[in-house]
Amino acid sequence: MRAVASPDLAFEVTNAQHVLQRVFGYDSFRGAQQEIVEHVVSGGDALVLMPTGGGKSLCYQIPALVRSGVGVVVSPLIALMQDQVDALNELGVRAGFLNSTQTFEQRRRTEDAFVSGDLDLLYLAPERLRLDSTLELLDRGEVSLFAIDEAHCVAQWGHDFRPDYLALSVLHERWPSIPRIALTATATDATRREIATRLELTEARHFVADFDRPNIQYRIAPKNDAKKQLLQLLRTEHAGEAGIVYRLSRAEVERTAEFLVANGIDALPYHAGLDKEVRAAHQSRFLREDGLVMVATIAFGMGIDKPDVRFVAHLDLPKSVEGYYQETGRAGRDGLPSTAWMAYGLQDVVQQRKLIELSEGDDAHRRSLSRHLDAMLALCETVECRRIQLLAYFGQQAQPCGNCDTCLAPPESWDGTVAAQKLLSTVVRLDRERNQKFGAGQVIDILRGKKTAKIEQFRHDTLSVFGVGADLSDNEWRGVIRQLLAQRLLAVEGDFGTLVLTESSGEVLRRENPRQVLLRTEPKRTSAPAKSKDRKQAAQDMPPEAEPIFQQLRAWRAATAREENKAPFIIFHDSTLRQIAAIQPSTLDELAAISGVGEQKLAKYGQAVLNALQDE
Ligand code: ADP
Ligand code: ZN
């Protein structure tokens, strides 16, 4: 039985440092981990905000091993519980889970193991905690701590709200003396306050980690033909590598996956409209196979801790910076260089504004959505370092990073006041003189003085503004409109996305002292792959001549993973294999010194790794 694997492995769990080294094979804690672990070990409540890949799991796993009793982990990610438990068992940790995918018999055995204290960690879906039977079960065993993973799911205005999380306040009421640790990678002040209130964690110590993910290169490119641009990116920079492509709609997910497959790239679709079994199969393949591309809606990804996701691509505009940061954070958890790339254009702004207009809920809700979108647009349109903007959103300061598109190729800005006036007055004239509203295409044709059939049909060539914008290209005008929309100096309405003025448009149009409009210059070339100095350096944890050995180790790992029906990274991460390739240990002791090689893995795979190294 899985749930109580390795019962024979008795840890002399004396202290946290010891567990870190022996069980996980790491030499030292990262960032605030040690402080958090000590705080929870000594019985304190904690609210932990750390970026994806920051190392949240250890913050509750180690206290659960050190404290007496079973650590109960609340997680919404039912589909991933098996993997999480497998990975822990692989380390010699006794872990189990209870969820609706199990048979009665499997559940009963896990429950027995919990009650008799034969588990270190028990994973539960939040909806189970609503059941009286679960609460009674927990009373029958000894709980060492409660860990609430993905705690932002309790935030009602957030992007991942799960009603079941609201019931988690019961933990504090029913077991006031058992420490609770809530963890999330979503971290604006507002979200943090909401989590603290709803989970009654007001007394808890807050730990806010550095949110920077320096190994991720952030790039936002102007969108021309998103699918082709994506293909170019995959071919030139990420051939044969694993990645996630996010799309807004299910239909686009399907189309994009088909397009990639037709172009020889191993890609799978994932969205809520697919059968449960298909979804599970695709997710499992993504985790187990090397170099697969997952094309997905945001239904995919939470809790996916595949360490070697090399890129995350957004082909549509995310709804919020929080969502964007969480999604892009799924790249490069192993710390190796990775890309967060997004294609963004005028149509995205129009579409998102329309979605908000049509969204259900009251005005307050719509205002909240608008605020989130505005922050996202500001990030897209910034001429400053993307990372500075991103981190500022989470209340943190940074220096220009040298590893984002604006740092690598600083965009220029220009005074677009006159262009904005021309555009806005075209909208005004259509409305006042003709009582008409049009979308971006027609307005641009008017400005550029094009004699199209539609221009003739509506006699728009007789407007006084006809042709006044011939100095800018179509593309430049689209950039002007996009940025005016982003700055709320222009708005869209209705199904056709017709352009209308906003309350602020008048400030630009007034004769005296018009408001100055600064615009980002539209780049001529579309997606020049950016290379940073740091990027190269970061990859040099392993000398180039070790590459064949690394590949040899990967082949050994792939074969072993297949035999044991596991994801390769559960055996060893790429980063661990790279170090092994670089150091080429010849004894088990030397191997044990490498980060990521704990006792159990050394016992299980140590000799096989040494053999694989000899097989040159
Ligand atoms: P999160 O849940 O915050 O996204 P994880 O807990 O999955 O992050 O950790 C991210 C990666 O970092 C994992 O591969 C984990 O094994 C590794 N890691 C965590 N803490 C340490 C540490 N102290 N030393 C080395 N690697 C670590
Ligand atoms: Zn930068």
Side-chain angles (χ1 to χ4, degrees):
M1 180 184 118
R2 283 227 129 97
V4 286
S6 336
D8 51 330
L9 207 144
F11 296 115
E12 306 148 34
V13 173
T14 47
N15 62 46
Q17 187 73 33
H18 200 62
V19 173
L20 177 74
Q21 283 163 358
R22 291 192 55 186
V23 178
F24 295 91
Y26 298 139
D27 331 320
S28 53
F29 284 108
R30 248 193 220 160
Q33 276 176 337
Q34 179 160 7
E35 238 184 312
I36 299 166
V37 165
E38 281 168 4
H39 180 70
V40 177
V41 165
S42 65
D45 290 341
L47 175 52
V48 173
L49 297 96
M50 241 187 224
T52 316
K56 283 186 285 300
S57 333
L58 289 189
C59 297
Y60 61 83
Q61 288 168 350
I62 292 185
L65 289 168
V66 172
R67 283 175 65 88
S68 144
V70 184
V72 173
V73 185
V74 182
S75 160
L77 311 163
I78 295 182
L80 294 169
M81 284 184 184
Q82 184 71 62
D83 282 339
Q84 286 173 321
V85 163
D86 284 349
L88 285 164
N89 289 344
E90 192 69 11
L91 295 166
V93 175
R94 301 168 306 166
F97 64 84
L98 290 175
N99 70 30
S100 50
T101 66
Q102 291 167 302
T103 64
F104 175 76
E105 185 54 25
Q106 286 171 322
R107 269 209 296 273
R108 198 184 55 79
R109 269 193 269 169
T110 306
E111 289 176 4
D112 288 349
F114 167 76
V115 173
S116 58
D118 289 328
L119 283 182
D120 301 307
L121 283 156
L122 175 66
Y123 285 79
L124 289 180
E127 53 272 23
R128 289 210 91 71
L129 270 173
R130 297 195 134 170
L131 307 176
D132 285 340
S133 56
T134 308
L135 299 178
E136 282 156 22
L137 171 75
L138 295 182
D139 274 334
R140 287 196 287 136
E142 186 191 0
V143 179
S144 60
L145 59 85
F146 289 105
I148 300 154
D149 207 2
E150 312 289 353
H152 63 282
C153 290
V154 80
Q156 251 167 325
W157 296 123
H159 53 101
D160 275 329
F161 174 60
R162 311 242 172 158
D164 284 317
Y165 264 68
L166 293 177
L168 292 180
S169 54
V170 71
L171 298 179
H172 182 51
E173 286 147 24
R174 196 163 170 138
W175 295 282
S177 61
I178 298 178
R180 291 169 305 146
I181 169 170
L183 310 102
T184 175
T186 294
T188 57
D189 265 353
T191 313
R192 168 154 52 130
R193 275 197 302 275
E194 202 179 340
I195 296 172
T197 315
R198 292 196 190 279
L199 293 177
E200 292 182 35
L201 275 169
T202 34
E203 305 276 292
R205 221 175 117 185
H206 292 200
F207 295 90
V208 184
D210 183 351
F211 261 68
D212 190 16
R213 297 287 310 281
N215 61 314
I216 298 181
Q217 183 173 86
Y218 297 96
R219 280 149 57 188
I220 300 178
K223 189 190 275 188
N224 306 312
D225 181 338
K227 290 205 279 285
K228 276 211 187 113
Q229 289 172 276
L230 172 70
L231 188 61
Q232 161 89 358
L233 173 83
L234 300 196
R235 286 191 171 149
T236 54
E237 296 179 58
H238 292 290
E241 296 184 330
I244 307 173
V245 177
Y246 282 110
R247 300 239 49 167
L248 206 56
S249 72
R250 298 172 185 185
E252 284 292 4
V253 164
E254 298 279 353
R255 275 198 288 273
T256 307
E258 279 165 24
F259 170 82
L260 290 179
V261 170
N263 283 283
I265 288 178
D266 238 347
L268 292 171
Y270 189 107
H271 56 72
L274 293 171
D275 277 347
K276 228 166 107 186
E277 293 76 39
V278 176
R279 280 205 312 261
H282 287 187
Q283 174 169 301
S284 163
R285 281 191 59 194
F286 181 68
L287 292 173
R288 278 171 179 68
E289 293 174 26
D290 280 330
L292 216 58
V293 176
M294 186 69 105
V295 185
T297 57
I298 53 170
F300 177 76
M302 205 207 289
I304 293 286
D305 50 10
K306 185 175 165 63
D308 56 354
V309 173
R310 289 274 72 87
F311 66 89
V312 169
H314 282 90
L315 266 55
D316 301 293
L317 184 69
K319 292 183 170 58
S320 71
V321 176
E322 282 163 286
Y324 170 76
Y325 205 60
Q326 192 150 51
E327 284 140 29
T328 54
R330 290 165 191 151
R333 295 164 84 108
D334 54 11
L336 299 175
S338 308
T339 309
W341 179 87
M342 178 168 125
Y344 153 78
L346 169 59
Q347 210 43 46
D348 287 301
V349 191
V350 173
Q351 184 181 28
Q352 288 288 358
R353 289 256 199 257
K354 210 161 76 191
L355 285 176
I356 293 175
E357 195 185 322
L358 303 174
S359 77
E360 302 191 354
D362 54 11
D363 275 354
H365 183 53
R366 263 192 286 276
R367 271 199 301 277
S368 160
L369 291 173
S370 286
R371 268 198 307 277
H372 281 121
L373 178 61
D374 286 344
M376 190 63 225
L377 293 173
L379 174 68
C380 292
E381 302 291 359
T382 186
V383 291
E384 282 175 40
C385 170
R386 306 267 189 212
R387 201 176 307 266
I388 290 182
Q389 280 259 336
L390 272 169
L391 292 174
Y393 188 74
F394 297 112
Q396 300 188 347
Q397 289 186 345
Q399 296 297 313
C401 72
N403 194 24
C404 74
D405 54 356
T406 56
C407 280
L408 292 167
E412 283 167 17
S413 53
W414 58 292
D415 184 346
T417 312
V418 173
Q421 287 169 335
K422 288 176 181 170
L423 192 126
L424 295 175
S425 52
T426 305
V427 174
V428 171
R429 272 165 217 281
L430 281 170
D431 184 27
R432 297 230 183 102
E433 293 171 18
R434 306 288 173 91
N435 202 13
Q436 291 169 345
K437 291 191 171 90
F438 278 89
Q442 184 73 357
V443 172
I444 292 173
D445 286 348
I446 295 170
L447 283 162
R448 298 204 62 214
K450 283 198 206 162
K451 295 261 188 188
T452 67
K454 201 166 163 189
I455 292 282
E456 311 241 322
Q457 179 194 346
F458 289 99
R459 307 237 27 160
H460 284 163
D461 48 352
T462 59
L463 288 164
S464 60
V465 286
F466 186 74
V468 296
D471 52 330
L472 297 183
S473 69
D474 272 13
N475 193 37
E476 284 164 331
W477 275 117
R478 293 177 72 80
V480 172
I481 296 178
R482 194 191 72 228
Q483 297 185 68
L484 291 178
L485 288 171
Q487 296 184 25
R488 289 182 173 283
L489 292 170
L490 184 67
V492 284
E493 78 178 14
D495 280 349
F496 302 104
T498 50
L499 301 178
V500 292
L501 299 193
T502 69
E503 280 167 14
S504 318
S505 305
E507 297 168 24
V508 180
L509 283 170
R510 83 181 151 223
R511 261 175 233 284
E512 311 250 309
N513 268 330
R515 169 167 161 184
Q516 200 197 20
V517 183
L518 271 186
L519 299 176
R520 197 180 209 271
T521 305
E522 294 305 299
K524 293 274 183 288
R525 284 188 305 147
T526 50
S527 81
K531 278 270 173 279
S532 80
K533 299 160 258 147
D534 299 353
R535 206 171 146 78
K536 270 256 158 62
Q537 230 152 35
Q540 270 162 14
D541 54 332
M542 179 183 90
E545 61 274 16
E547 181 70 28
I549 303 171
F550 172 59
Q551 292 307 337
Q552 199 170 310
L553 290 167
R554 278 186 100 193
W556 163 78
R557 183 182 64 180
T560 311
R562 258 195 310 280
E563 251 165 55
E564 301 186 3
N565 187 26
K566 278 182 191 136
F569 60 80
I570 286 192
I571 298 177
F572 286 119
H573 284 182
D574 277 3
S575 47
T576 302
L577 291 190
R578 293 174 79 86
Q579 282 183 62
I580 297 177
I583 295 170
Q584 299 193 39
S586 55
T587 65
L588 288 174
D589 276 352
E590 284 170 32
L591 183 59
I594 288 170
S595 179
V597 185
E599 277 189 358
Q600 169 101 349
K601 289 197 179 171
L602 186 72
K604 199 161 169 194
Y605 303 115
Q607 198 52 51
V609 168
L610 295 181
N611 294 346
L613 284 171
Q614 311 250 286
D615 284 351
E616 284 174 68

